[in-house]
Amino acid sequence: MSKKASIGVTGLAVMGRNLARNLARHGHTVALHNRSEQRTRDLVDQFGDEGDFIPAYTAQEFVDALDKPRQIVIMVKAGAPTDAVIDEFAPLLEKGDVIVDAGNAHFADTRRREAALREQGLHFVGTGVSGGEEGALNGPSIMPGGSAESYKTLGPLFEDISAKVDGQPCCTHIGEDGAGHFVKMVHNGIEYADMQLIAEAFDLLRHAGGYEPAQIAEVFRTWNTGRLDSYLIEITADVLSHVDSATGKPFVDIVVDQAEQKGTGRWTVQIGLDLGVPISGIAEAVFARSLSGSAELRKAASGLTGPKVTPLSGAEAEKFADDVEQALYASKVVAYAQGFNQIQAGGAEYGWEIDLGKVASIWRGGCIIRAKFLNDITAAYAENPSLPTLLTAGVFRQAVEDAQDAWRSVIATAVRLGIPTPGFSTALAYYDGLRAERLPAALVQAQRDFFGAHTYRRVDSGGSFHTAWAADGRPEASA
């Protein structure tokens, strides 16, 4: 009897190829399939010595090469291409077999596919995979959704190939149907916010602090030895120290200042609006990318009046750099707090029992937002699984309290000098909104009642009320 594969990968572009190699390197026999047969042959030719691969050149060959229950990982573009692959393989599978979508699918699509395949007796597992091509090869953070039953066989494989932190795999069963892709979506939203905040810190240090990119790289390397220790801070230092070989200029200066996006950040904001969760930090990061890409609009507005930037110097600049570090940390805490609140709200809306502490734990390694302070987030949710916001957790509450003066000073300096800091500013506005004893929303609700009879509630009695604004004496009535 010929040897069977424990898992198969179809879609052998960079991510699929590296995931297949990762599985093989860990001793798993992997079936390979790709629409282009050459890509399958190339993988075996180049990396066949890394483990056991079984190449297959038709859908039936691929399915026949798999041990039961069959486990197929799809690594193709989201949307119609994913549906096409599912439609190709589902008729060839049997009850109990598992189809895994490890791409960046919208969680609503995952819920739809899971429900349809469940009716056919198949398990569909939408799985978030973070870490890019390097993570896929050497150990990503993996966020599988789907049924608990499917995780019994799939989980050990994914835990085996995931990144490890303190001996623990960066993989856990997130929840039913689309929970895995939902959490991956929010991960990417937080990633947008984190990157925007880091970019603003760079902009402040350069234009307000008067530092050159190479100097800022050293500042970031120093920060990376402390509480801001993270993958994104690490690579930022590398980028800022890089010199363009063609011009001799700092590499960051020869890159066009228009940031692109693939859509997951935008999805996070759209779903945040649907759920009524204020994820303003993520939203501002998405809008900042949109503004950067609005080249014609920016060109038309380039002559608008604003203050002239005069950089600080000496001890004043050094003090400013320390303040920026505090403002960056406080703003990052707000961004992560908003992201975890969105996961919490998504779980309540869609019936998922998501362990926020485990989510934080599996983000500690492998993924793009891996960072030292995720240890503190893990501990905070372990201590209080129903924590309303990270901002009230001991270590974060204290850190943000300690950062108050620096945070506000940095934003005031940015405003005074005309340096845009949408991420820093909205993070502070959110924080102040949360802690405010009373918000001006009372006036907004009164306005709504005035023009649309939308009613309002009173602070001194229950029920809803409407005021007859056009009537003499303006009588109030219960609604």
Side-chain angles (χ1 to χ4, degrees):
M1 182 177 178
S2 60
K3 188 174 184 179
K4 297 278 189 177
S6 54
I7 193 165
V9 178
T10 180
L12 301 177
V14 175
M15 285 293 289
R17 179 185 66 195
N18 283 1
L19 199 64
R21 291 172 61 196
N22 189 352
L23 285 159
R25 286 177 173 187
H26 281 80
H28 305 290
T29 301
V30 185
L32 303 173
H33 175 267
N34 194 77
R35 185 177 59 179
S36 164
E37 294 184 8
Q38 190 58 48
R39 187 165 279 177
T40 304
R41 292 190 176 91
D42 288 346
L43 193 158
V44 175
D45 290 343
Q46 294 174 40
F47 307 107
D49 59 348
E50 294 185 342
D52 291 331
F53 296 110
I54 301 177
Y57 302 104
T58 69
Q60 189 64 62
E61 281 182 28
F62 183 57
V63 170
D64 290 343
L66 295 166
D67 207 356
K68 296 181 182 180
R70 302 177 184 91
Q71 299 180 119
I72 294 175
V73 178
I74 298 173
M75 292 295 286
V76 300
K77 289 183 179 179
T82 299
D83 282 321
V85 174
I86 293 171
D87 290 343
E88 180 180 12
F89 284 102
L92 306 178
L93 300 176
E94 300 174 359
K95 184 177 180 179
D97 288 346
V98 182
I99 298 177
V100 180
D101 175 12
N104 270 335
H106 194 292
F107 78 96
D109 287 337
T110 301
R111 299 189 80 205
R112 167 180 60 80
R113 291 163 181 153
E114 193 276 336
L117 290 172
R118 192 186 335 127
E119 290 186 359
Q120 301 176 40
L122 301 176
H123 296 285
F124 184 74
V125 181
T127 300
V129 178
S130 179
E133 57 187 84
E134 180 184 347
L137 180 61
N138 298 316
S141 175
I142 307 179
M143 297 154 256
S147 67
E149 183 182 350
S150 66
Y151 194 78
K152 289 178 182 177
T153 54
L154 189 64
L157 287 173
F158 280 171
E159 290 177 14
D160 190 28
I161 68 167
S162 71
K164 308 294 188 300
V165 175
D166 298 331
Q168 298 299 310
C170 292
C171 173
T172 191
H173 182 229
I174 300 296
E176 300 290 321
D177 55 71
H181 275 145
F182 185 93
V183 166
K184 175 55 163 54
M185 175 192 74
V186 176
H187 165 283
N188 285 20
I190 293 173
E191 179 185 306
Y192 274 55
D194 208 339
M195 292 172 69
Q196 175 63 26
L197 292 169
I198 292 170
E200 290 178 21
F202 156 72
D203 208 29
L204 286 163
L205 291 174
R206 185 161 203 193
H207 295 110
Y211 291 86
E212 290 300 318
Q215 294 174 301
I216 301 172
E218 292 309 311
V219 171
F220 273 76
R221 288 196 175 100
T222 300
W223 289 354
N224 203 47
T225 63
R227 61 183 180 173
L228 285 172
D229 177 4
S230 67
Y231 173 70
L232 286 172
I233 293 289
E234 177 188 341
I235 67 169
T236 299
D238 288 345
V239 169
L240 292 176
S241 63
H242 185 56
V243 175
D244 177 52
S245 59
T247 64
K249 295 180 179 179
F251 177 74
V252 71
D253 287 346
I254 59 92
V255 178
V256 175
D257 63 337
Q258 297 176 21
E260 299 179 0
Q261 51 186 308
K262 290 188 175 181
T264 46
R266 187 164 57 246
W267 291 349
T268 310
V269 176
Q270 290 168 341
I271 300 304
L273 291 171
D274 291 343
L275 293 172
V277 181
I279 50 169
S280 52
I282 297 171
E284 285 295 347
V286 172
F287 293 143
R289 291 196 189 188
S290 298
L291 178 61
S292 77
S294 301
E296 292 303 316
L297 180 61
R298 291 173 59 199
K299 182 178 179 180
S302 61
L304 295 177
T305 302
K308 182 179 180 180
V309 178
T310 304
L312 306 170
S313 61
E316 197 175 20
E318 290 183 17
K319 170 64 167 58
F320 183 72
D322 291 339
D323 288 349
V324 171
E325 188 273 345
Q326 293 202 63
L328 175 58
Y329 186 82
S331 299
K332 279 166 65 79
V333 172
V334 169
Y336 280 70
Q338 291 179 350
F340 276 92
N341 282 156
Q342 184 171 12
I343 294 173
Q344 202 170 34
E349 175 69 18
Y350 301 111
W352 302 321
E353 295 183 8
I354 300 177
D355 186 324
L356 298 181
K358 285 186 176 180
V359 171
S361 178
I362 68 170
W363 285 352
R364 294 181 302 159
C367 69
I368 302 301
I369 64 171
R370 58 186 183 267
K372 180 179 179 180
F373 90 147
L374 280 160
N375 288 316
D376 293 329
I377 297 178
T378 302
Y381 282 113
E383 182 178 341
N384 182 6
S386 58
L387 187 68
T389 172
L390 285 172
L391 289 163
T392 61
V395 63
F396 296 118
R397 180 171 187 156
Q398 188 61 54
V400 174
E401 285 181 1
D402 292 345
Q404 287 294 300
D405 291 345
W407 198 8
R408 296 177 192 280
S409 176
V410 165
I411 292 171
T413 299
V415 172
R416 178 171 59 83
L417 297 179
I419 300 171
T421 54
F424 280 21
S425 299
T426 197
L428 180 59
Y430 176 85
Y431 175 80
D432 283 338
L434 279 186
R435 69 179 189 83
E437 183 175 344
R438 187 166 171 80
L439 292 168
L443 177 58
V444 173
Q445 194 60 18
Q447 291 170 330
R448 294 182 73 244
D449 186 63
F450 190 108
F451 67 69
H454 292 296
T455 75
Y456 54 89
R457 288 175 289 129
R458 297 179 57 93
V459 298
D460 54 4
S461 60
S464 297
F465 297 85
H466 167 63
T467 292
W469 295 97
D472 291 338
R474 295 178 180 170
E476 185 180 81
S478 298

